[in-house]
Amino acid sequence: MPDSTLPPVEELLSIAVGALGGSDRPGQITMVKAVQQAIDASEHLAVQAGTGTGKSLAYLVPSIRHAMESDSPVVVSTATIALQRQLVDRDLPRLAETLGKDLPHEPTFAILKGRRNYLCRYKVTAGWPEEEQDQLFDPREVSATGRMVQRIQEWAEETTTGDRDELVPGVNEQAWRQYSVSAKECLGAQRCPSGAECFAEQAKARAGEVDVVVTNHALLAIDAMEGMAILPDHDVVVVDEAHELVDRVTSVVTDELSEASVSLAVRRVGRLIEQPIADQLMEAGEDLKALLEAAPPGRIDVLPEVLGLTLALVRDSAARCITAMGPRGADKDDPDKAGQRKAAFTALDEVHDTAVRMLEAYGHASEVDRAEVVWLDGSTDRRPATLRVAPLSVGGMLRDKLFGERTVVLTSATLALGGTFDGLAAQWGLGDKGWTGIDVGSPFDHPRAGILYVAKHLPQPGRDGLPQAYVDEIAELIEAAGGRTLGLFSSMRAAKAATEALRDRLDVPLLCQGDDSTMLLVKQFAEDEATCLFGTLSLWQGVDVPGPSLRLVIIDRVPFPRPDDPLTSARQRHVMAKGGNGFMAVAANHAALLLAQGAGRLLRAQDDKGVVAVLDPRLATARYSGFLLNSLPPFWRTSDPAVVRTALNRLTG
């Protein structure tokens, strides 16, 4: 029975903060009350909580209280492994110990990931099937993968969780796929000889018995949209790092088709069907390969006749293979044969269903009726040319499958773009649903602690690489800061160009993303105050370096998506066809989100001070500049380079 005698959420928060050696934070108190109110009223809530607010505690305390009161778990979803580990290894253990004496029992928690993230015990022993070995073109890569396979085999003898993230150092995808299965490939615990000791099933069982289940956005999407019932029954979801929800969900529902995926299906079907039928699918894959290698990469708005015929050939050949396989439940008493058949059916289904989906993406009456976009990614040294298909919007799916069934709390340091939640709410599909958005602020005094410098005197960025004026400006800023600089660039080419131009010019160590693993580079950057680190997208959101090692964040240009990006350009055009402002709804929202994330790297602790320098003058002069500026923290603003250099000199002594 629900327990209505639990302490109020404010009291629980006070107990937790006191026990953990913290102090009252107004934003945290506001957030914890808002989350509790949303849970009580069964309404959706979006909370922007700046760095230092203590948002994890602010949503965990009411979540734990609700789990106790309702006797059902709360699901907390994050975008990154780092935050999952922070919650499971640090925040939840400390909170459970602190609140245990004031609640009916000590709160319990577990982490749950997709089945692909766990070692498959049966696949380790059965040795089926060989995965994608023909895609490893470089003999050195084959050798490296072989060593990784050996490490997995050794680790399999000692691991108690089978969790891939516990295998350090990590292994590449080709090696890991030898010993993991997707949910569709899995035989099921009842039929699998290793079902009783399955790592994925054990993790799922643990999740069904705890108060808080920590998962990721991808698994949350699969559970909600594909009806697989991976997560235990729950009525409240907390989505942390909610600014990444749409991209993560889009990745889950994006399908791809290439000669490699067709070849995998042919190999898996192997000797299970008559060779001439398998040969038809192989020939269709070869036709697809020849066509894709000759075609220009990019968005495919109108289906070319030859592509339509080739996709139909792939579809029909896969269908004949599926029919030739016979009933899906055959060989259930022979696990080895059943495993091979399940793997073959999975690969064939993916090829067939993706071809069908791509063909059905066309034939709409107008642009307004278009629901999906198809595009071609050209071949590289590592992978063949690949067709992809993705929805133009995931808002409808989220509205029906995620928000329709339960109360959802969405939080991040960056949600109010242009000063409003409406942009992201529309992408989430919350437009016509009952929801509330609040900004609980930040404990940082942004106007006193930070300067936003926009270099209005510089030329607008062009397409011909990093202008010399930008290189000179970067050099002057770094010299004034004495190093201590994180350079965030819109492309890897620009980051490398700046590094090459400045390494011999500056007297401080200069690291560039790609020189080593990103984790090691960030560690080196944090430990040596004079060091600078240049990089691209993953650094915009993934760097947390409090203290004197970071006094200057340089952003080379407003991070609009590339004009030729197939998905974002198609989404922009679709919004325009429906009468909206495609540029603001898609491109400007994208840029505002990344700008805010990048600027958020500067202040990570109460004593931090510094400058965010944006070299792109459009942030001050373009018609959309107000929207972008309103998405950023309220730093003191200037466009005077002398003022900024003086401030940096003063900061670094």
Side-chain angles (χ1 to χ4, degrees), residues 395-407:
M397 300 181 206
L398 288 170
R399 181 182 62 244
D400 297 339
K401 302 295 186 178
L402 180 61
F403 298 113
E405 301 290 328
R406 50 191 64 85
T407 298

Side-chain angles (χ1 to χ4, degrees), residues 459-499:
Q460 286 196 16
R463 297 185 178 182
D464 301 324
L466 201 65
Q468 183 59 42
Y470 281 42
V471 175
D472 295 339
E473 184 79 18
I474 293 170
E476 292 173 4
L477 289 168
I478 290 176
E479 287 171 347
R484 301 175 174 86
T485 300
L486 177 66
L488 302 176
F489 293 84
S490 53
S491 70
M492 203 64 232
R493 186 178 72 163
K496 289 180 177 178
T499 303

Side-chain angles (χ1 to χ4, degrees), residues 9-10 103 140 154 205 232 240 274 276 289 323 385 397 435 509 583:
V9 69
E10 298 94 330
L103 294 171
R140 290 170 299 179
E154 294 168 353
D240 202 343
E274 295 179 7
K289 177 183 179 181
T323 300
M397 300 181 206
W435 65 279
F583 171 79

Side-chain angles (χ1 to χ4, degrees), residues 48 79 98 134 142 214 244 264 334 353 367 395 437 449 455 485 491 495 641:
Q48 177 163 285
T98 299
D134 61 348
V142 174
V214 179
E244 293 204 44
L264 176 62
D334 182 348
D353 295 350
E367 179 60 36
T485 300
S491 70

